[in-house]
Amino acid sequence: MHYLYTSLKVLAVLALAALAAGCAGDLKEKENLAAAAGFKVITPTKPEQAALLKSLPANQVTQVKQDGKVYYVLPDLANNQAWVGGPKQYQSYQQLRLARQISNDNLEAAAMNQQASMNWGAWGGWGGWGPGPGWY
């Protein structure tokens, strides 16, 4: 019974890790990271701005040069707006993305280690501890 309970816990942790990894590519997750990095929401007010917004690749940050300045833009076409930041905000955004990825990787590794450690007694372990014939 204990083994079943522990197995269910590991499966839950793995499911959460997979969900977290899947959500990392989601637009909402990217918007949250952009907001945390200092990006600002801009709504196009001119036809040229709206056309530029629609021309950008969906769901990704794109570098845009305008009036000699560099901007980084994450379009949100569904809401006709964009998250816009400069080089400093983009650097923060990249650092937050990396930290999120490392966190997800660590969570996944911890779940795999926990699952591996639960099977220890199934093959006898060291010196016959647990079920099975053991090594001695």
Side-chain angles (χ1 to χ4, degrees):
M1 184 66 157
H2 176 67
Y3 180 74
L4 177 61
Y5 176 74
T6 307
S7 294
L8 289 174
K9 277 189 353 184
V10 168
L11 287 176
V13 168
L14 287 174
L16 286 173
L19 180 62
C23 289
D26 187 37
L27 177 61
K28 192 63 179 168
E29 178 70 22
K30 290 179 180 180
E31 288 176 345
N32 290 340
L33 291 175
F39 280 55
K40 303 295 181 203
V41 177
I42 305 292
T43 302
T45 57
K46 300 177 183 174
E48 312 85 54
Q49 294 171 332
L52 175 62
L53 178 64
K54 290 178 183 176
S55 72
L56 296 174
N59 204 16
Q60 84 180 48
V61 177
T62 303
Q63 184 184 61
V64 175
K65 293 180 183 178
Q66 186 173 354
D67 299 328
K69 294 183 180 180
V70 175
Y71 298 96
Y72 295 88
V73 182
L74 174 63
D76 179 358
L77 298 175
N79 295 309
N80 191 39
Q81 61 188 20
W83 291 87
V84 180
K88 289 180 183 178
Q89 290 80 22
Y90 183 68
Q91 184 178 10
S92 294
Y93 174 81
Q94 291 293 69
Q95 289 170 347
L96 289 169
R97 283 186 62 205
L98 179 60
R100 171 76 79 191
Q101 184 61 47
I102 289 170
S103 176
N104 289 343
D105 290 348
N106 287 342
L107 178 61
E108 188 176 329
M112 288 190 295
N113 286 339
Q114 182 180 9
Q115 184 179 19
S117 69
M118 289 187 335
N119 260 343
W120 180 251
W123 53 273
W126 292 102
W129 296 330
W135 288 356
Y136 294 87

